[in-house]
Amino acid sequence: MYAEKALEQGWLGKLSMIRCRLAHNGGVIYEGEDRGWLPERFFRKEQTGGGALIDLGAHPIYLMNRLAGEAEALYARLQQQESDQVDDTAVVTVEYTSGALGVIETSFLSHGSPFQLELYGTEGTLLAEEGEVKIKSMHVNENNWTLMDEPMTDKPRPLDQWVQAIKEQKQPSITKDDFIKLTLINEASVRSHQEGRRIIINKMLTK
């Protein structure tokens, strides 16, 4: 929500790059253990349909879709380092119609990895890590690094929106379009990895 506000207010200028990383160590087998803490089903393609990208990567995907807009093309690498069925580490580079570039990173093999969201623009930078958000902008606090800590309460939490949609027929801010675009990035990423090439989103939709 802080990132949305920064973009809406023009504090970052024109967005040039966005990066989001969400990873954990659930697939790491430490000495003296037979397996990591992530349940075995997460590594079975028949049960999950995919690995780290379809699971953890979903969160960076929908955030970046919301913030950067329409995706035009992408190139993805879904790495199998420890698993023989699904990706346990993945990186996706996304090209947006605005001209901005995006980097999605995720992994089941990353000890101590904090959640990170980074937005870089022509007039400012926003960095979010583990619940702390700071901005450096030509339009904020005389271009000094500033902690964004004022309450952001204009939207209910997603779970509350879901309940309101059921009980009161209120339209949530998260829509069917969010899920379609999320699935599209996932499907295009798998194809990019399998075919070893850049995937143009519109061409994929017509096939």
Side-chain angles (χ1 to χ4, degrees):
M1 291 174 69
Y2 285 122
E4 280 187 330
K5 180 177 180 179
L7 290 169
E8 289 166 1
Q9 296 293 324
W11 293 340
L12 305 184
K14 183 177 180 180
L15 185 68
S16 55
M17 188 169 181
I18 180 169
R19 170 183 174 264
C20 190
R21 177 177 179 82
L22 181 61
H24 60 51
N25 64 336
V28 178
I29 303 173
Y30 292 103
E31 187 176 352
E33 299 177 357
D34 296 327
R35 50 187 298 280
W37 57 261
L38 195 64
E40 188 61 31
R41 65 180 180 273
F42 282 87
F43 302 94
R44 295 175 184 157
K45 189 173 183 180
E46 186 177 337
Q47 289 181 272
T48 63
L53 184 64
I54 201 172
D55 177 40
L56 288 181
H59 303 290
I61 290 171
Y62 67 65
L63 281 173
M64 289 172 55
N65 282 342
R66 270 297 179 98
L67 297 170
E70 294 293 325
E72 184 173 280
L74 60 77
Y75 184 86
R77 178 65 185 171
L78 280 60
Q79 194 82 347
Q80 293 177 216
Q81 295 185 61
E82 300 296 334
S83 172
D84 59 1
Q85 292 191 32
V86 301
D87 57 288
D88 42 35
T89 300
V91 175
V92 183
T93 303
V94 186
E95 303 166 38
Y96 296 95
T97 56
S98 66
L101 284 177
V103 178
I104 297 164
E105 300 175 7
T106 189
S107 179
F108 291 156
L109 305 174
S110 188
H111 179 78
S113 181
F115 169 79
Q116 294 172 311
L117 175 65
E118 305 170 6
L119 287 82
Y120 301 96
T122 55
E123 298 170 19
T125 291
L126 182 142
L127 304 177
E129 182 173 303
E130 295 296 271
E132 182 178 276
V133 184
K134 61 182 181 179
I135 188 171
K136 183 178 177 66
S137 167
M138 296 168 60
H139 309 285
V140 178
N141 193 23
E142 299 181 342
N143 204 26
N144 293 307
W145 280 110
T146 303
L147 193 65
M148 300 182 74
D149 55 2
E150 71 273 15
M152 296 286 283
T153 58
D154 57 325
K155 291 180 185 176
R157 295 180 307 135
L159 182 60
D160 294 329
Q161 291 188 42
W162 179 65
V163 173
Q164 289 173 354
I166 295 170
K167 296 178 68 175
E168 305 169 28
Q169 285 73 55
K170 285 189 176 181
Q171 182 67 30
S173 62
I174 302 164
T175 68
K176 181 173 68 175
D177 195 45
D178 289 297
F179 300 108
I180 291 172
K181 289 179 178 178
L182 164 59
T183 304
L184 181 60
I185 296 296
N186 256 316
E187 292 292 325
S189 297
V190 171
R191 181 176 293 186
S192 173
H193 174 78
Q194 290 174 341
E195 299 178 7
R197 66 181 180 91
R198 173 176 175 264
I199 299 293
I200 299 175
I201 302 295
N202 287 337
K203 286 186 178 180
M204 193 181 92
L205 288 172
T206 59
K207 292 184 178 180

Coordinates of all heavy atoms in Angstrom, one line a residue, residues 33-104:
E33 N 19.5 -34.3 9.7 CA 18.1 -34.4 9.3 C 17.9 -35.1 8.0 O 18.7 -35.2 7.2 CB 17.5 -33.0 9.3 CG 17.6 -32.2 10.6 CD 17.0 -30.8 10.5 OE1 16.6 -30.4 9.4 OE2 17.0 -30.1 11.5
D34 N 16.7 -35.7 7.9 CA 16.4 -36.5 6.6 C 15.8 -35.6 5.6 O 15.9 -35.9 4.4 CB 15.4 -37.6 6.9 CG 16.0 -38.7 7.9 OD1 17.2 -38.9 7.8 OD2 15.2 -39.2 8.7
R35 N 15.2 -34.5 6.0 CA 14.5 -33.6 5.0 C 14.3 -32.2 5.6 O 14.5 -32.1 6.8 CB 13.1 -34.2 4.6 CG 12.2 -34.6 5.8 CD 11.0 -35.3 5.3 NE 10.1 -34.4 4.5 CZ 9.3 -33.5 5.0 NH1 9.3 -33.3 6.3 NH2 8.6 -32.8 4.2
G36 N 13.9 -31.2 4.8 CA 13.7 -29.9 5.3 C 12.3 -29.9 6.0 O 11.5 -30.8 6.0
W37 N 11.9 -28.7 6.5 CA 10.6 -28.6 7.2 C 9.4 -28.4 6.3 O 8.3 -28.6 6.7 CB 10.7 -27.4 8.2 CG 11.0 -26.0 7.6 CD1 12.2 -25.4 7.5 CD2 10.0 -25.2 6.9 NE1 12.1 -24.2 6.9 CE2 10.7 -24.0 6.5 CE3 8.7 -25.2 6.6 CZ2 10.2 -22.9 5.8 CZ3 8.1 -24.2 5.9 CH2 8.8 -23.0 5.6
L38 N 9.7 -28.2 5.0 CA 8.5 -28.0 4.1 C 8.0 -29.4 3.7 O 8.8 -30.3 3.4 CB 9.0 -27.4 2.8 CG 7.9 -26.8 1.8 CD1 7.1 -25.7 2.5 CD2 8.5 -26.3 0.5
P39 N 6.7 -29.7 3.9 CA 6.1 -31.0 3.6 C 6.5 -31.6 2.2 O 6.6 -30.8 1.3 CB 4.6 -30.8 3.7 CG 4.5 -29.6 4.6 CD 5.7 -28.7 4.3
E40 N 6.7 -32.9 2.2 CA 7.1 -33.5 0.9 C 6.3 -33.3 -0.3 O 6.7 -33.3 -1.4 CB 7.2 -35.0 1.2 CG 7.9 -35.8 0.1 CD 9.3 -35.4 -0.2 OE1 10.0 -35.0 0.8 OE2 9.8 -35.5 -1.3
R41 N 5.0 -33.0 0.0 CA 4.1 -32.8 -1.2 C 4.4 -31.6 -2.0 O 4.1 -31.5 -3.2 CB 2.6 -32.7 -0.7 CG 2.3 -31.5 0.2 CD 0.9 -31.4 0.6 NE 0.6 -30.2 1.4 CZ 0.8 -30.1 2.7 NH1 1.3 -31.2 3.4 NH2 0.5 -29.0 3.4
F42 N 5.1 -30.6 -1.4 CA 5.5 -29.4 -2.2 C 6.6 -29.8 -3.2 O 6.8 -28.9 -4.1 CB 6.1 -28.4 -1.2 CG 5.0 -27.6 -0.4 CD1 4.5 -28.1 0.8 CD2 4.5 -26.4 -0.9 CE1 3.6 -27.4 1.5 CE2 3.6 -25.7 -0.2 CZ 3.1 -26.2 1.0
F43 N 7.2 -30.9 -3.2 CA 8.2 -31.3 -4.1 C 7.7 -32.4 -5.1 O 8.5 -32.9 -5.9 CB 9.4 -31.8 -3.4 CG 10.0 -30.8 -2.5 CD1 9.6 -30.8 -1.1 CD2 10.9 -29.8 -2.9 CE1 10.2 -29.9 -0.2 CE2 11.4 -28.9 -2.0 CZ 11.1 -28.9 -0.7
R44 N 6.4 -32.7 -5.1 CA 5.8 -33.6 -6.0 C 5.0 -32.9 -7.0 O 3.9 -32.3 -6.7 CB 4.9 -34.6 -5.2 CG 5.7 -35.5 -4.2 CD 4.8 -36.3 -3.4 NE 5.5 -37.1 -2.4 CZ 5.0 -37.6 -1.3 NH1 3.7 -37.4 -1.0 NH2 5.8 -38.3 -0.4
K45 N 5.4 -32.9 -8.3 CA 4.8 -32.2 -9.3 C 3.3 -32.6 -9.5 O 2.5 -31.7 -9.8 CB 5.6 -32.3 -10.6 CG 5.1 -31.4 -11.7 CD 6.0 -31.5 -13.0 CE 5.6 -30.5 -14.0 NZ 6.4 -30.6 -15.2
E46 N 3.0 -33.9 -9.4 CA 1.7 -34.3 -9.6 C 0.7 -33.7 -8.6 O -0.5 -33.4 -8.9 CB 1.6 -35.8 -9.5 CG 0.3 -36.5 -9.8 CD 0.3 -38.0 -9.7 OE1 1.4 -38.6 -9.8 OE2 -0.8 -38.5 -9.6
Q47 N 1.2 -33.4 -7.4 CA 0.3 -32.8 -6.4 C 0.3 -31.3 -6.5 O -0.7 -30.7 -6.1 CB 0.8 -33.2 -5.0 CG 0.5 -34.7 -4.7 CD 0.9 -35.1 -3.3 OE1 2.1 -35.4 -3.1 NE2 0.0 -35.0 -2.3
T48 N 1.4 -30.7 -6.8 CA 1.5 -29.2 -6.7 C 1.4 -28.5 -8.1 O 1.0 -27.3 -8.1 CB 2.8 -28.8 -6.1 OG1 3.9 -29.3 -7.0 CG2 3.0 -29.4 -4.8
G49 N 1.7 -29.1 -9.2 CA 1.7 -28.5 -10.5 C 3.0 -27.6 -10.7 O 3.2 -27.1 -11.8
G50 N 3.8 -27.5 -9.7 CA 5.0 -26.7 -9.8 C 5.7 -26.6 -8.5 O 5.3 -27.3 -7.5
G51 N 6.8 -25.8 -8.5 CA 7.6 -25.7 -7.3 C 7.6 -24.3 -6.6 O 6.5 -23.7 -6.3
A52 N 8.7 -23.8 -6.4 CA 8.9 -22.5 -5.7 C 8.1 -21.3 -6.4 O 7.5 -20.5 -5.7 CB 10.4 -22.1 -5.5
L53 N 8.2 -21.3 -7.7 CA 7.6 -20.1 -8.4 C 6.1 -20.2 -8.2 O 5.5 -19.1 -7.9 CB 7.9 -20.1 -9.9 CG 7.4 -18.9 -10.6 CD1 8.0 -17.6 -10.1 CD2 7.6 -19.0 -12.1
I54 N 5.4 -21.3 -8.4 CA 4.0 -21.4 -8.3 C 3.5 -21.2 -6.9 O 2.4 -20.8 -6.7 CB 3.4 -22.7 -9.0 CG1 2.0 -22.5 -9.4 CG2 3.6 -23.8 -8.0 CD1 1.4 -23.7 -10.2
D55 N 4.3 -21.5 -5.9 CA 4.0 -21.4 -4.5 C 4.3 -20.1 -4.0 O 3.5 -19.2 -3.9 CB 4.7 -22.6 -3.7 CG 4.4 -22.5 -2.2 OD1 3.2 -22.2 -1.9 OD2 5.3 -22.7 -1.5
L56 N 5.6 -19.9 -3.6 CA 6.1 -18.6 -3.1 C 6.0 -17.5 -4.1 O 5.7 -16.3 -3.8 CB 7.5 -18.8 -2.5 CG 7.7 -19.6 -1.3 CD1 9.1 -19.6 -0.9 CD2 6.8 -19.1 -0.1
G57 N 6.4 -17.8 -5.3 CA 6.5 -16.7 -6.3 C 5.2 -16.0 -6.7 O 5.2 -15.0 -7.2
A58 N 4.1 -16.7 -6.3 CA 2.8 -16.1 -6.6 C 2.7 -14.7 -5.9 O 2.1 -13.8 -6.5 CB 1.7 -17.0 -6.0
H59 N 3.2 -14.5 -4.7 CA 3.1 -13.3 -4.0 C 3.9 -12.1 -4.7 O 3.3 -11.0 -4.9 CB 3.5 -13.5 -2.6 CG 2.8 -14.5 -1.9 ND1 1.4 -14.4 -1.5 CD2 3.1 -15.8 -1.5 CE1 1.0 -15.5 -1.0 NE2 2.0 -16.4 -0.9
P60 N 5.1 -12.3 -5.0 CA 5.8 -11.3 -5.8 C 5.1 -11.0 -7.2 O 5.0 -9.8 -7.6 CB 7.2 -11.8 -6.1 CG 7.4 -12.7 -4.9 CD 6.1 -13.3 -4.6
I61 N 4.6 -12.0 -7.8 CA 3.9 -11.8 -9.1 C 2.7 -10.9 -9.0 O 2.6 -9.9 -9.7 CB 3.5 -13.2 -9.7 CG1 4.7 -14.0 -10.1 CG2 2.6 -13.0 -10.9 CD1 4.4 -15.4 -10.5
Y62 N 1.8 -11.2 -8.0 CA 0.6 -10.3 -8.0 C 0.9 -8.9 -7.5 O 0.3 -7.9 -7.9 CB -0.5 -11.0 -7.2 CG -0.4 -11.2 -5.7 CD1 -0.2 -10.1 -4.8 CD2 -0.4 -12.5 -5.2 CE1 -0.1 -10.3 -3.5 CE2 -0.3 -12.7 -3.8 CZ -0.1 -11.6 -3.0 OH 0.0 -11.8 -1.6
L63 N 1.9 -8.8 -6.6 CA 2.3 -7.5 -6.2 C 2.9 -6.6 -7.3 O 2.5 -5.5 -7.5 CB 3.4 -7.6 -5.1 CG 2.9 -7.9 -3.7 CD1 4.1 -8.1 -2.7 CD2 2.0 -6.8 -3.1
M64 N 3.8 -7.2 -8.1 CA 4.4 -6.5 -9.2 C 3.4 -6.2 -10.3 O 3.5 -5.2 -11.0 CB 5.6 -7.3 -9.7 CG 6.8 -7.2 -8.7 SD 8.2 -8.2 -9.0 CE 8.7 -7.7 -10.6
N65 N 2.5 -7.1 -10.6 CA 1.4 -6.8 -11.5 C 0.6 -5.6 -11.1 O 0.3 -4.7 -11.9 CB 0.4 -8.0 -11.6 CG 1.0 -9.2 -12.5 OD1 1.9 -9.0 -13.2 ND2 0.4 -10.3 -12.3
R66 N 0.3 -5.5 -9.8 CA -0.4 -4.4 -9.3 C 0.3 -3.1 -9.4 O -0.2 -2.0 -9.8 CB -0.8 -4.6 -7.8 CG -2.1 -5.3 -7.5 CD -3.3 -4.5 -8.0 NE -4.5 -5.1 -7.7 CZ -5.3 -4.8 -6.7 NH1 -4.9 -4.0 -5.8 NH2 -6.5 -5.4 -6.6
L67 N 1.6 -3.1 -9.2 CA 2.4 -1.9 -9.1 C 3.0 -1.5 -10.5 O 3.1 -0.3 -10.8 CB 3.6 -2.1 -8.1 CG 3.2 -2.4 -6.7 CD1 4.3 -2.8 -5.8 CD2 2.5 -1.1 -6.1
A68 N 3.4 -2.4 -11.3 CA 4.1 -2.1 -12.6 C 3.1 -2.1 -13.8 O 3.5 -1.6 -14.8 CB 5.2 -3.1 -12.8
G69 N 2.0 -2.7 -13.6 CA 1.0 -2.7 -14.7 C 1.1 -3.9 -15.6 O 1.5 -5.0 -15.2
E70 N 0.7 -3.7 -16.9 CA 0.6 -4.8 -17.8 C 2.0 -5.4 -18.2 O 2.9 -4.7 -18.6 CB -0.1 -4.4 -19.1 CG -1.6 -4.0 -18.9 CD -2.4 -5.2 -18.5 OE1 -2.1 -6.4 -19.0 OE2 -3.4 -5.1 -17.7
A71 N 2.1 -6.7 -18.2 CA 3.3 -7.4 -18.6 C 3.3 -7.6 -20.1 O 2.3 -8.0 -20.6 CB 3.5 -8.7 -17.9
E72 N 4.4 -7.3 -20.7 CA 4.5 -7.5 -22.2 C 5.3 -8.7 -22.6 O 4.9 -9.4 -23.5 CB 5.3 -6.2 -22.7 CG 5.4 -6.2 -24.3 CD 5.9 -4.9 -24.7 OE1 5.2 -3.9 -24.8 OE2 7.2 -4.9 -25.0
A73 N 6.4 -9.1 -21.8 CA 7.2 -10.2 -22.2 C 7.9 -10.6 -20.9 O 8.1 -9.8 -20.0 CB 8.1 -9.9 -23.3
L74 N 8.5 -11.9 -21.0 CA 9.3 -12.3 -19.8 C 10.3 -13.4 -20.2 O 10.1 -14.0 -21.3 CB 8.4 -12.8 -18.7 CG 7.5 -14.0 -18.9 CD1 8.2 -15.3 -18.9 CD2 6.4 -14.0 -17.8
Y75 N 11.3 -13.6 -19.4 CA 12.2 -14.7 -19.5 C 12.4 -15.3 -18.1 O 12.6 -14.5 -17.2 CB 13.6 -14.2 -20.1 CG 14.5 -15.3 -20.3 CD1 14.5 -16.0 -21.5 CD2 15.4 -15.8 -19.3 CE1 15.4 -17.1 -21.7 CE2 16.3 -16.8 -19.5 CZ 16.3 -17.5 -20.8 OH 17.1 -18.6 -21.0
A76 N 12.3 -16.6 -18.0 CA 12.4 -17.2 -16.7 C 13.3 -18.4 -16.7 O 13.6 -19.1 -17.7 CB 11.0 -17.7 -16.4
R77 N 13.9 -18.6 -15.5 CA 14.7 -19.8 -15.2 C 14.2 -20.4 -14.0 O 14.2 -19.8 -12.9 CB 16.2 -19.4 -15.1 CG 17.1 -20.6 -14.8 CD 17.2 -21.6 -15.9 NE 18.0 -22.7 -15.5 CZ 18.1 -23.8 -16.2 NH1 17.4 -23.9 -17.4 NH2 18.8 -24.8 -15.8
L78 N 13.7 -21.7 -14.1 CA 13.2 -22.4 -12.9 C 14.2 -23.5 -12.6 O 14.3 -24.5 -13.4 CB 11.8 -23.0 -13.3 CG 10.6 -22.1 -13.2 CD1 10.7 -20.9 -14.1 CD2 9.3 -22.8 -13.4
Q79 N 15.0 -23.3 -11.6 CA 16.1 -24.2 -11.3 C 15.7 -25.4 -10.4 O 15.0 -25.2 -9.4 CB 17.2 -23.4 -10.7 CG 18.6 -24.1 -10.6 CD 19.3 -24.0 -11.9 OE1 18.8 -23.6 -12.9 NE2 20.6 -24.3 -11.9
Q80 N 16.2 -26.6 -10.7 CA 16.0 -27.7 -9.8 C 17.4 -28.1 -9.3 O 18.2 -28.8 -9.9 CB 15.5 -28.9 -10.6 CG 14.1 -28.7 -11.1 CD 13.5 -29.9 -11.9 OE1 12.8 -29.7 -12.9 NE2 13.9 -31.1 -11.6
Q81 N 17.7 -27.6 -8.1 CA 19.0 -27.8 -7.4 C 18.9 -29.1 -6.5 O 19.9 -29.9 -6.6 CB 19.4 -26.6 -6.6 CG 19.7 -25.4 -7.5 CD 20.2 -24.3 -6.6 OE1 21.3 -24.4 -6.0 NE2 19.5 -23.1 -6.6
E82 N 17.9 -29.2 -5.7 CA 17.8 -30.3 -4.8 C 16.6 -31.3 -5.2 O 16.7 -32.5 -5.0 CB 17.6 -29.8 -3.4 CG 18.7 -29.0 -2.9 CD 20.0 -29.7 -2.8 OE1 20.0 -31.0 -2.6 OE2 21.1 -29.1 -2.8
S83 N 15.6 -30.7 -5.8 CA 14.4 -31.5 -6.2 C 14.6 -32.1 -7.6 O 15.2 -31.4 -8.4 CB 13.2 -30.6 -6.1 OG 12.1 -31.3 -6.7
D84 N 14.1 -33.3 -7.8 CA 14.1 -33.8 -9.1 C 12.8 -33.7 -9.9 O 12.7 -34.2 -11.0 CB 14.6 -35.3 -9.1 CG 13.6 -36.2 -8.2 OD1 12.6 -35.6 -7.7 OD2 13.9 -37.4 -8.1
Q85 N 11.8 -33.0 -9.3 CA 10.5 -32.9 -9.9 C 10.1 -31.5 -10.2 O 9.5 -31.2 -11.2 CB 9.4 -33.6 -9.1 CG 9.5 -35.1 -9.0 CD 8.3 -35.8 -8.4 OE1 7.2 -35.3 -8.5 NE2 8.5 -36.9 -7.7
V86 N 10.4 -30.6 -9.2 CA 9.9 -29.2 -9.4 C 11.1 -28.2 -9.1 O 12.1 -28.6 -8.6 CB 8.8 -28.9 -8.4 CG1 7.6 -29.8 -8.6 CG2 9.3 -29.0 -6.9
D87 N 10.8 -27.0 -9.5 CA 11.8 -25.9 -9.3 C 11.9 -25.6 -7.8 O 10.9 -25.5 -7.1 CB 11.5 -24.7 -10.1 CG 10.1 -24.1 -9.8 OD1 9.2 -24.8 -10.3 OD2 10.0 -23.1 -9.2
D88 N 13.1 -25.5 -7.3 CA 13.2 -25.1 -5.9 C 13.9 -23.7 -5.8 O 14.0 -23.1 -4.7 CB 14.0 -26.1 -5.0 CG 15.2 -26.6 -5.7 OD1 15.9 -25.9 -6.5 OD2 15.5 -27.8 -5.5
T89 N 14.2 -23.1 -6.9 CA 14.7 -21.7 -7.0 C 14.3 -21.2 -8.4 O 14.4 -21.9 -9.4 CB 16.3 -21.6 -6.9 OG1 16.6 -22.2 -5.6 CG2 16.7 -20.2 -6.9
A90 N 13.8 -19.9 -8.4 CA 13.4 -19.4 -9.7 C 13.6 -17.9 -9.8 O 13.6 -17.2 -8.8 CB 11.9 -19.7 -9.9
V91 N 13.9 -17.4 -11.0 CA 14.1 -16.0 -11.3 C 13.3 -15.7 -12.6 O 13.4 -16.5 -13.6 CB 15.5 -15.6 -11.5 CG1 15.6 -14.1 -11.9 CG2 16.3 -15.8 -10.2
V92 N 12.5 -14.7 -12.6 CA 11.7 -14.3 -13.7 C 12.0 -12.8 -14.0 O 11.9 -12.0 -13.1 CB 10.2 -14.5 -13.6 CG1 9.5 -14.1 -14.9 CG2 9.9 -15.9 -13.2
T93 N 12.4 -12.5 -15.2 CA 12.6 -11.1 -15.6 C 11.4 -10.7 -16.5 O 11.2 -11.3 -17.5 CB 13.9 -10.9 -16.4 OG1 15.0 -11.4 -15.6 CG2 14.2 -9.4 -16.8
V94 N 10.7 -9.6 -16.1 CA 9.5 -9.2 -16.8 C 9.7 -7.9 -17.4 O 10.3 -6.9 -16.8 CB 8.3 -9.2 -15.8 CG1 7.0 -8.9 -16.5 CG2 8.2 -10.5 -15.0
E95 N 9.2 -7.7 -18.6 CA 9.2 -6.5 -19.3 C 7.7 -6.0 -19.3 O 6.8 -6.7 -19.7 CB 9.6 -6.6 -20.8 CG 11.0 -7.2 -21.0 CD 11.2 -7.7 -22.4 OE1 10.8 -7.0 -23.3 OE2 11.8 -8.8 -22.6
Y96 N 7.5 -4.7 -18.8 CA 6.2 -4.2 -18.7 C 5.9 -3.2 -19.9 O 6.9 -2.6 -20.4 CB 6.0 -3.5 -17.4 CG 6.1 -4.4 -16.2 CD1 7.3 -4.6 -15.5 CD2 5.0 -5.2 -15.9 CE1 7.3 -5.6 -14.5 CE2 5.0 -6.1 -14.8 CZ 6.2 -6.3 -14.1 OH 6.3 -7.2 -13.1
T97 N 4.7 -3.0 -20.3 CA 4.4 -2.1 -21.4 C 4.8 -0.7 -21.1 O 5.0 0.1 -22.0 CB 2.9 -2.1 -21.7 OG1 2.1 -1.8 -20.5 CG2 2.4 -3.5 -22.1
S98 N 5.0 -0.3 -19.8 CA 5.4 1.0 -19.5 C 6.9 1.2 -19.8 O 7.4 2.4 -19.8 CB 5.2 1.2 -18.0 OG 6.1 0.4 -17.2
G99 N 7.6 0.1 -20.1 CA 9.1 0.2 -20.3 C 9.9 -0.2 -19.1 O 11.1 -0.4 -19.2
A100 N 9.2 -0.4 -17.9 CA 9.9 -0.8 -16.7 C 10.3 -2.3 -16.8 O 9.6 -3.1 -17.5 CB 9.0 -0.5 -15.5
L101 N 11.4 -2.6 -16.1 CA 11.8 -4.0 -16.0 C 11.5 -4.5 -14.6 O 11.6 -3.7 -13.6 CB 13.3 -4.1 -16.2 CG 13.8 -4.1 -17.7 CD1 15.3 -4.2 -17.7 CD2 13.2 -5.2 -18.5
G102 N 11.1 -5.8 -14.5 CA 10.8 -6.4 -13.1 C 11.6 -7.6 -12.9 O 11.9 -8.4 -13.9
V103 N 12.0 -7.9 -11.7 CA 12.7 -9.1 -11.4 C 12.0 -9.8 -10.2 O 11.8 -9.2 -9.1 CB 14.2 -8.8 -11.0 CG1 14.9 -10.1 -10.6 CG2 15.0 -8.2 -12.1
I104 N 11.6 -11.0 -10.4 CA 10.9 -11.8 -9.4 C 11.9 -12.9 -9.0 O 12.4 -13.6 -9.8 CB 9.6 -12.5 -10.0 CG1 8.6 -11.4 -10.4 CG2 9.0 -13.5 -9.0 CD1 7.5 -11.9 -11.3

